[in-house]
């Protein structure tokens, strides 16, 4: 059942209260009933004993004084009480007049604890009867106190020789059974009154408790409702709004805090997406503006065929640049979406670097760059070759683009505790702390002009970082005394895969490099002359 | 009319500069914020076309420094940033116009011409002086209903004189407004152009318009003053 928390709480609490109250009141009723009947029985018992004390016997007759002078309660017409006396031989010695010829239940209780039973009185009323069987004392010897009675009853249970203790031969005297009965109407009335009282108080108590509970539960659930209302008002435009529950109970505080933290993260994510979309629009608009203005100015008047050709070539180049930007964006978003798992290749790092360098060799020549290679032998990290090549190409591209003319580039690989490290450093780059923190932002280009090759739309390092993270590695950058260094750390290779090879490293243009046998690092410095 | 284009994206910069030169403007173009700031504050431009996202010095910073230096060059911001807040920020920083990339070159040209006219407090695209009519939109010049064909440089010279009709302008001023920053022409070439222009604009039955003020320069005006 999809009921509200309030309903569930109220239902559970009311059922508990009703059950507990019913049980308590039933117990109370039962106790009271027992108490009342016990008092009733004591009174009845006392009466039986009183009557019994009045009886005496001699050898032939049993003197029953209340027979001649019946007491008022046995004689009255309304709600009379009854008595009956049996001789031990079963003869009814006497019965109260109101019994007519009817019999009471014969109950042979003893003097101390009369036997008491529920009976139906001859006139149909419900009542109780108490009976004792005793031996009325001979005339002149009264049967008196409780202690005497107890003595007598005790002697009755004992051996006969003890009975002769006081020179009486009790065995010569007969036993009689006296039963007195009276109705329980008063007790029943009291009980019924009590029943009503208990029921009424129970109902009133239950009702008022439930009312107060409903009020309390509703009031205490208010923060929940307020929370639900605030959550329902949230949408992506209002993510900056925080949920406020000043009167929230302790249990809700963590929920509110987590929700608010989630909202902050969501807002940041939305903001990133918005910025990214704006950046993409900007980056795609700019080349579009280039194509359009080139074409429009070209068409604005008659020109020579060469001039048209130049314009068309320019437009073609811009289109290719735009294509490159879109391809980069796509690979970035594919990696961010985590569409495909990385391959698990054993990569020959030196050979990979050599291949990645080829497209930039010409640029390095033109800009008269001095390139130094420090490659450690035998590095075969286990990673995704194609993606790693893209990441390394980006670093080489950056280095060859942002280095100063005639500057230096250093490429090194080594195996450290953190794993395989690939570092690309170039001179001519002075970035401050704030700029360093931004180099991984998408579309951030620092102070560099938008290049005409289009490769530097400010996505390179962002993409590189995504790729390296995708490969479970990390990348860090530093800028010290004009050297900009980017270091990729790949997870440590399995020990078996680190092999010492003497295969030899080759430089960017595949000339054999001298192998520095004792040294772990190998240096190859080449001066590029244009 | 002298124009500065500050734009880091070469295809746009080249196309805009070429188109404006062909429209008769003297255009300096730079691709870097620092160069842009130097040019903008050191030279007197009629219109500056400014990109916002520039390496070196951002476009808005150039604009602020330009306005702080009391320059009355008209500034048109040309950017891909199209958000309302960007436009408002640009205009509030002192820009006279805002155009979003990609743009139609004709529109850019028309806006630049409007800004040029506004610089000389003119709103009519046609400049009339005696029976001379210069249509700054179509760049057609006629006198007494007779169309006069001018070269690009001649037209630029005439426009410059016409915008300052009645004022004496020196050779240096003319030269600075006709030639780009790194042009290697010399200022006495102005006299040659003035002669060409006079030959085309003046006939025996028309009143002379271009007057020489010896020692000062030239002035374009309808009435002949018996000046020195």
């Amino acid at each position: 059942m999809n009921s509200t928390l309030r309903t569930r709480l109220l239902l559970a609490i009311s059922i508990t209260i009703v059950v507990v109250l019913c049980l308590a009141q039933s117990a109370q009723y039962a106790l009271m009933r027992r108490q009342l009947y016990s008092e009733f029985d004591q009174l009845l018992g006392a009466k039986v004993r009183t009557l019994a004390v009045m009886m005496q016997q001699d050898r032939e007759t049993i003197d029953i004084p209340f027979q001649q002078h019946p007491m008022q309660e046995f004689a009255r017409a309304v709600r009379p009480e009854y008595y009956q006396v049996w001789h031990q031989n079963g003869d009814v010695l006497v019965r109260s007049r109101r019994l007519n010829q009817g019999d009471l239940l014969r109950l042979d209780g003893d003097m101390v604890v009369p036997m008491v039973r529920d009976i139906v009185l001859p006139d149909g009323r419900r009542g109780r009867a108490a009976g004792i069987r005793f031996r009325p004392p001979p005339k002149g010897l009264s049967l008196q106190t409780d202690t005497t009675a107890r003595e007598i009853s005790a002697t009755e249970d004992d051996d006969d020789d003890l009975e002769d203790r006081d020179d009486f031969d009790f065995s010569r005297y007969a036993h009689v059974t006296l039963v007195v009965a009276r109705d329980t109407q008063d007790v029943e009335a009291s009980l019924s009154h009590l029943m009503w009282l208990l029921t009424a108080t129970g109902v009133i108590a239950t009702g008022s408790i439930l009312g107060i509970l409903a009020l309390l539960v509703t009031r205490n659930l208010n923060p929940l409702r307020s929370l639900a209302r605030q959550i329902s008002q949230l949408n992506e435009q209002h993510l900056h709004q925080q949920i406020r529950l000043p009167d929230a109970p302790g249990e809700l505080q963590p929920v509110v805090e987590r929700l608010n933290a989630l909202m902050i993260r969501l807002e940041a994510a939305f903001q990133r997406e918005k910025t990214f979309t704006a950046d993409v629009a900007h980056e795609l608009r700019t080349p579009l503006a280039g194509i359009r203005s080139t074409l429009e100015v070209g068409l604005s008047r008659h020109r020579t065929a060469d001039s048209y050709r130049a314009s068309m070539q320019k437009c073609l180049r811009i289109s290719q640049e735009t294509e490159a930007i879109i391809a980069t964006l796509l690979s970035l978003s594919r990696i961010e979406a985590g569409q495909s798992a990385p391959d698990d290749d054993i990569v020959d790092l030196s050979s990979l670097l050599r291949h990645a360098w080829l497209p930039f060799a010409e640029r390095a020549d033109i800009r008269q760059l001095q390139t130094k290679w420090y490659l450690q032998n035998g590095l075969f990290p286990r990673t995704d070759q194609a993606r790693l090549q893209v990441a390394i190409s980006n670093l080489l591209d950056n280095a060859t683009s942002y280095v100063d003319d005639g500057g230096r580039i250093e490429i090194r690989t080594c195996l450290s505790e953190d794993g395989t490290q690939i570092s690309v450093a170039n001179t001519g780059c002075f970035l401050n702390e704030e700029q360093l923190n931004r180099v991984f932002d998408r579309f951030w280009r620092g102070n560099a002009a938008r290049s005409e090759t289009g490769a530097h739309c400010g996505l390179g390092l962002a993409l590189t970082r995504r790729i390296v993270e995708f490969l479970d590695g990390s990348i860090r950058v530093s800028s010290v005394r004009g050297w900009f260094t980017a270091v990729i750390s790949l997870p440590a290779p399995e020990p078996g895969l680190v092999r010492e090879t003497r295969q030899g490293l080759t430089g960017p243009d595949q000339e054999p490099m001298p192998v520095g046998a004792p040294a772990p690092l190998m240096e190859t410095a080449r001066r590029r002359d244009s | 009319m002298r124009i500065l284009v500050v734009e880091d994206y070469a295809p746009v910069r080249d196309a805009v500069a070429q188109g404006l030169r062909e429209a008769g403007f003297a255009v300096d173009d730079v691709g870097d914020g620092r160069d842009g700031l130097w040019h903008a504050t050191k030279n007197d431009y009629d219109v500056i076309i400014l990109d916002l996202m520039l390496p070196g010095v951002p476009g808005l910073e150039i604009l602020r420094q330009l306005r702080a230096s009391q320059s009355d060059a008209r500034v048109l911001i040309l950017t891909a940033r199209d958000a309302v807040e960007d436009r408002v920020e640009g205009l509030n920083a002192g820009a006279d116009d805002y155009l979003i990339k990609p743009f139609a070159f004709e529109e850019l040209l028309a806006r630049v011409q409007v800004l040029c006219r506004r610089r000389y407090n003119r709103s009519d695209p046609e400049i009339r002086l005696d029976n001379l009519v210069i249509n700054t939109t179509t760049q057609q010049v006629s006198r007494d209903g007779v169309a006069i064909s001018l070269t690009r440089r001649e037209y630029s010279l005439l426009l410059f004189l016409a915008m300052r009709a009645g004022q004496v302008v020196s050779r240096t001023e003319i030269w600075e407004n006709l030639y780009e920053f790194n042009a290697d022409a010399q200022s006495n070439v102005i006299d040659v152009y003035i002669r060409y222009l006079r030959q085309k604009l003046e006939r025996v039955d028309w009143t002379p318009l271009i007057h020489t003020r010896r020692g000062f320069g030239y002035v374009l005006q309808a009435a002949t003053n018996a000046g020195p």
Side-chain angles (χ1 to χ4, degrees):
Chain A
M1 196 174 76
N2 200 7
S3 55
T4 62
L5 186 57
R6 178 172 176 269
T7 320
R8 285 185 204 184
L9 271 175
L10 282 179
L11 205 68
I13 295 173
S14 14
I15 289 173
T16 313
I17 287 177
V18 168
V19 168
V20 168
L21 218 60
C22 280
L23 285 175
Q25 299 208 333
S26 304
Q28 204 178 347
Y29 178 78
L31 279 172
M32 288 298 285
R33 184 189 162 89
R34 206 174 137 189
Q35 183 64 32
L36 283 174
Y37 271 107
S38 138
E39 281 170 15
F40 182 89
D41 291 349
Q42 273 177 18
L43 282 174
L44 203 59
K47 183 161 234 164
V48 171
R49 276 196 294 272
T50 315
L51 290 180
V53 168
M54 295 161 80
M55 289 168 66
Q56 284 181 321
Q57 62 177 319
D58 54 20
R59 287 190 188 281
E60 285 85 27
T61 60
I62 294 172
D63 181 21
I64 303 170
F66 47 87
Q67 185 182 8
Q68 282 78 31
H69 311 285
M71 294 169 182
Q72 185 259 336
E73 58 262 40
F74 297 120
R76 69 188 173 203
V78 181
R79 294 179 56 195
E81 295 177 12
Y82 304 95
Y83 65 87
Q84 191 169 2
V85 182
W86 286 267
H87 192 267
Q88 67 183 35
N89 60 15
D91 294 342
V92 175
L93 295 177
V94 68
R95 55 163 70 89
S96 63
R97 244 180 296 157
R98 289 286 169 192
L99 268 177
N100 297 325
Q101 289 307 306
D103 280 325
L104 290 175
L105 182 64
R106 183 172 168 176
L107 296 167
D108 296 329
D110 71 43
M111 202 63 169
V112 179
V113 189
M115 186 182 276
V116 183
R117 288 289 180 273
D118 278 323
I119 57 162
V120 178
L121 300 178
D123 53 2
R125 287 177 295 146
R126 289 174 58 192
R128 274 174 86 78
I132 49 177
R133 185 168 182 269
F134 66 103
R135 193 173 272 160
K139 284 183 182 165
L141 191 82
S142 64
L143 191 74
Q144 290 168 345
T145 59
D146 279 353
T147 48
T148 325
R150 205 167 290 129
E151 271 171 32
I152 289 170
S153 59
T155 51
E156 276 175 354
D157 292 337
D158 290 339
D159 292 334
D160 276 354
D161 51 358
L162 281 176
E163 289 179 9
D164 297 330
R165 186 182 48 148
D166 288 329
D167 299 333
F168 277 106
D169 184 7
F170 281 97
S171 60
R172 287 185 293 114
Y173 296 89
H175 276 103
V176 294
T177 300
L178 167 64
V179 174
V180 174
R182 62 179 291 195
D183 67 74
T184 52
Q185 211 166 336
D186 291 340
V187 178
E188 293 293 338
S190 296
L191 282 176
S192 140
H193 184 69
L194 179 69
M195 177 77 121
W196 272 110
L197 206 67
L198 286 176
T199 312
T201 51
V203 168
I204 290 170
T206 311
S208 41
I209 287 175
L210 284 186
I212 293 167
L213 259 182
L215 209 70
L216 286 177
V217 168
T218 310
R219 179 171 299 172
N220 280 294
L221 288 180
N222 267 343
L224 261 187
R225 269 207 305 282
S226 161
L227 183 65
R229 198 178 54 244
Q230 291 190 42
I231 290 175
S232 71
Q233 285 167 350
L234 295 174
N235 57 37
E236 67 272 21
Q237 268 88 45
H238 298 101
L239 285 177
H240 59 278
Q241 284 180 356
Q242 294 278 296
I243 292 175
R244 287 181 208 294
L245 275 187
D247 55 343
E251 293 90 336
L252 274 185
Q253 284 298 357
V255 177
V256 172
E257 280 163 19
R258 302 265 152 74
L259 263 177
N260 281 337
L262 177 69
M263 301 264 291
I264 290 170
R265 283 205 301 277
L266 262 184
E267 198 195 357
F270 269 95
Q271 196 52 48
R272 262 202 313 278
E273 283 308 305
K274 258 192 213 164
T275 315
F276 177 62
T277 316
D279 288 346
V280 169
H282 178 263
E283 289 307 311
L284 296 182
R285 257 188 190 147
T286 306
L288 206 58
I291 292 178
R292 185 168 174 175
S293 44
T294 305
L295 288 177
E296 279 183 347
V297 170
L299 289 172
S300 63
R301 59 193 64 204
H302 288 291
R303 296 173 193 279
T304 61
D306 280 348
S307 169
Y308 284 129
R309 190 172 293 119
S311 293
M312 285 161 76
Q313 276 167 347
K314 194 180 265 182
C315 289
L316 182 64
R317 206 170 59 238
I318 303 171
S319 311
Q320 286 162 345
E321 293 165 13
T322 316
E323 216 174 290
I325 296 178
I326 292 173
T328 314
L329 279 174
L330 271 179
S331 46
L332 194 58
S333 75
R334 278 205 196 102
I335 287 174
E336 294 200 337
Q339 278 178 350
S340 47
D343 287 339
D344 192 20
D345 312 318
I346 296 171
V347 179
D348 180 350
L349 199 55
S350 305
S351 152
L352 181 79
L353 276 164
R354 196 171 59 224
H355 274 102
W357 176 255
L358 289 179
F360 307 106
E362 189 192 354
R363 193 190 294 168
D365 275 344
I366 291 169
R367 303 194 62 189
Q368 303 187 8
L369 303 180
Q370 191 182 341
T371 314
K372 285 188 177 181
W373 294 73
Y374 303 89
L375 301 182
Q376 184 174 344
N377 261 342
L379 284 184
F380 295 92
R382 209 181 170 117
T383 184
D384 187 317
Q385 172 149 6
R387 287 190 165 96
L388 182 62
Q389 178 155 6
V390 173
I392 289 175
S393 292
N394 279 331
L395 291 189
L396 296 177
D397 191 4
N398 264 343
T400 50
S401 302
Y402 295 129
V403 68
D404 46 341
D405 282 336
R408 290 192 291 161
I409 291 181
E410 287 185 5
I411 299 156
R412 60 178 84 218
T413 60
C414 65
L415 189 63
S416 77
E417 287 176 359
D418 303 333
T420 312
Q421 298 207 330
I422 306 149
S423 120
V424 178
N426 64 276
T427 53
C429 181
F430 296 90
L431 292 180
N432 59 32
E433 195 66 25
E434 190 228 330
Q435 289 170 320
L436 261 189
N437 288 335
R438 294 200 60 197
V439 294
F440 292 113
D441 288 1
R442 287 177 290 206
F443 298 119
W444 189 84
R445 273 194 298 268
N447 279 340
R450 179 193 300 277
S451 82
E452 286 172 67
T453 62
H456 300 286
C457 50
L459 287 171
L461 279 176
L463 179 63
T464 305
R465 183 165 76 167
R466 294 303 305 171
I467 291 174
V468 171
E469 284 172 356
F470 184 68
L471 300 177
D472 290 329
S474 62
I475 181 167
R476 58 175 198 276
V477 292
S478 60
S479 175
V480 182
R481 289 191 294 277
W483 280 91
F484 177 83
T485 313
V487 182
I488 294 179
S489 299
L490 291 175
E494 294 160 40
L497 287 169
V498 186
R499 289 171 293 174
E500 272 303 318
T501 60
R502 291 276 175 240
Q503 196 181 337
L505 289 168
T506 50
D509 44 8
Q510 303 192 344
E511 284 174 23
M513 298 283 167
V515 178
L521 283 180
M522 192 175 61
E523 177 175 331
T524 308
R526 290 165 45 77
R527 171 77 201 168
R528 301 189 158 272
D529 301 317
S530 60
Chain B
M1 301 291 106
R2 199 160 172 207
I3 293 178
L4 174 67
V5 177
V6 191
E7 161 70 59
D8 68 329
Y9 189 48
V12 171
R13 183 175 69 234
D14 295 348
V16 167
Q18 186 190 351
L20 288 174
R21 278 185 198 117
E22 286 172 0
F25 294 99
V27 182
D28 292 335
D29 56 314
V30 290
D32 178 87
R34 271 184 290 266
D35 292 349
L37 181 62
W38 189 86
H39 273 86
T41 48
K42 298 291 176 222
N43 299 320
D44 183 25
Y45 291 101
D46 293 307
V47 177
I48 297 172
I49 297 175
L50 193 61
D51 189 9
L52 288 185
M53 292 167 80
L54 286 170
V57 182
L60 281 180
E61 184 54 35
I62 296 178
L63 184 54
R64 286 198 188 96
Q65 295 203 21
L66 194 65
R67 290 304 180 228
S69 68
Q70 306 293 319
S71 162
D72 64 345
R74 298 292 184 253
V75 174
L76 183 148
I77 291 177
L78 183 64
T79 177
R81 273 153 67 166
D82 66 334
V84 175
E85 50 264 39
D86 291 330
R87 286 184 255 181
V88 170
E89 192 186 7
L91 293 172
N92 282 345
D96 298 275
D97 205 349
Y98 199 101
L99 192 59
I100 288 159
K101 294 177 196 169
F103 55 93
F105 182 74
E106 277 179 51
E107 187 183 352
L108 176 70
L109 187 59
R111 284 173 187 258
V112 167
Q113 283 169 341
V114 166
L115 291 178
C116 282
R117 289 203 299 271
R118 211 180 283 163
R119 167 122 207 244
Y120 298 101
N121 295 318
R122 292 174 186 275
S123 49
D124 188 356
E126 279 191 345
I127 300 172
R128 290 162 194 281
L129 200 79
D130 192 31
N131 54 359
L132 174 74
V133 178
I134 306 168
N135 188 323
T136 56
T137 315
T138 59
Q139 299 189 2
Q140 280 172 343
V141 179
S142 63
R143 205 163 174 200
D144 205 12
V146 181
I148 297 164
S149 165
L150 298 176
T151 66
R152 191 161 69 81
R153 201 75 83 185
E154 287 163 0
Y155 173 77
S156 299
L157 173 58
L158 177 61
L159 191 64
F160 180 72
L161 291 173
M163 285 290 191
R164 293 162 178 78
Q167 299 172 25
V168 181
V169 285
S170 70
R171 277 186 191 80
T172 320
E173 278 179 288
I174 297 175
W175 185 83
E176 277 180 359
N177 258 279
L178 241 58
Y179 285 93
E180 285 136 21
F181 182 73
N182 38 14
D184 48 7
Q186 293 178 353
S187 65
N188 56 6
V189 81
I190 301 299
D191 297 331
V192 181
Y193 274 109
I194 292 283
R195 200 163 67 239
Y196 289 161
L197 204 55
R198 273 186 174 142
Q199 282 169 5
K200 289 186 178 178
L201 287 181
E202 292 173 9
R203 292 189 193 172
V204 268
D205 50 334
W206 291 343
T207 52
L209 288 174
I210 302 172
H211 309 280
T212 308
R213 295 278 185 272
R214 291 201 194 284
F216 292 96
Y218 301 96
V219 62
L220 185 77
Q221 61 185 26
T224 48
N225 289 0

